[in-house]
Amino acid sequence: MATHIKVHGYHIDVFQHVNNARYLEFYEADRWDWMNELDFINWALKNKIAMAAVNINVNYFQGAVLGDELTVVTRMEKFGVKSALCYQQVIRNNNGQSEVVSDAYVTFVFIDTVLNKAIAIDDELRERLESFVSNNKDFIEV
């Protein structure tokens, strides 16, 4: 699973590169695509569970500019008792060359939407999350 993004003018800031806040939107777009692809959203709504990002650590290696073709990839890295960690990359695809523009680690908790409290990751939720573990060959070692 990967999300493809072409950099448009509304992604660019006064310094003529993608504003750092836009990368958070790129990462979130891929997570939504990913959850939709695996029908996680419908399952979570049915089970009254919400997924909330509680920590995001982003590295910026290079600036993306107008016209760049980007690919965003995501994989689950680690599961805790109440949280999960995913790893994401934004990759620029330029003339057959691929290079990491940015990467991020995102920590999530899962919330019972009725009680509005974090819940433990039970076997069923863990099984759903494990389907997000990717062997995606698009990831680049950084």
Side-chain angles (χ1 to χ4, degrees):
M1 178 72 206
T3 299
H4 301 283
I5 298 169
K6 182 171 176 108
V7 176
H8 295 288
Y10 58 86
H11 294 127
I12 304 298
D13 63 17
V14 70
F15 300 110
Q16 301 301 303
H17 63 260
V18 172
N19 183 282
N20 63 351
R22 288 286 184 172
Y23 288 92
L24 298 177
E25 294 173 358
F26 295 167
Y27 289 128
E28 187 169 11
D30 190 57
R31 291 192 308 269
W32 277 98
D33 286 350
W34 196 39
M35 290 185 292
N36 279 321
E37 178 77 17
L38 297 170
D39 201 34
F40 184 81
I41 296 169
N42 289 329
W43 176 86
L45 290 171
K46 180 179 149 199
N47 288 280
K48 299 182 176 17
I49 296 173
M51 188 172 171
V54 294
N55 188 346
I56 302 175
N57 294 299
V58 181
N59 296 302
Y60 303 97
F61 302 111
Q62 302 176 36
V65 296
L66 188 65
D68 276 350
E69 300 280 345
L70 305 175
T71 301
V72 186
V73 290
T74 302
R75 70 175 178 233
M76 293 303 290
E77 287 282 306
K78 185 170 84 172
F79 304 103
V81 174
K82 288 188 176 183
S83 66
L85 178 72
C86 74
Y87 176 67
Q88 297 184 272
Q89 290 182 337
V90 173
I91 300 167
R92 179 184 5 247
N93 311 300
N94 188 7
N95 296 326
Q97 298 290 330
S98 295
E99 55 191 354
V100 177
V101 173
S102 172
D103 71 358
Y105 286 93
V106 184
T107 304
F108 293 94
V109 296
F110 301 88
I111 299 170
D112 178 313
T113 60
V114 175
L115 300 175
N116 198 30
K117 290 187 175 185
I119 59 171
I121 298 174
D122 64 15
D123 290 340
E124 185 178 10
L125 178 53
R126 182 176 301 275
E127 185 178 310
R128 287 271 175 177
L129 294 172
E130 286 174 348
S131 69
F132 294 163
V133 174
S134 172
N135 293 325
N136 194 328
K137 293 176 183 18
D138 291 331
F139 281 93
I140 299 173
E141 194 68 37
V142 290

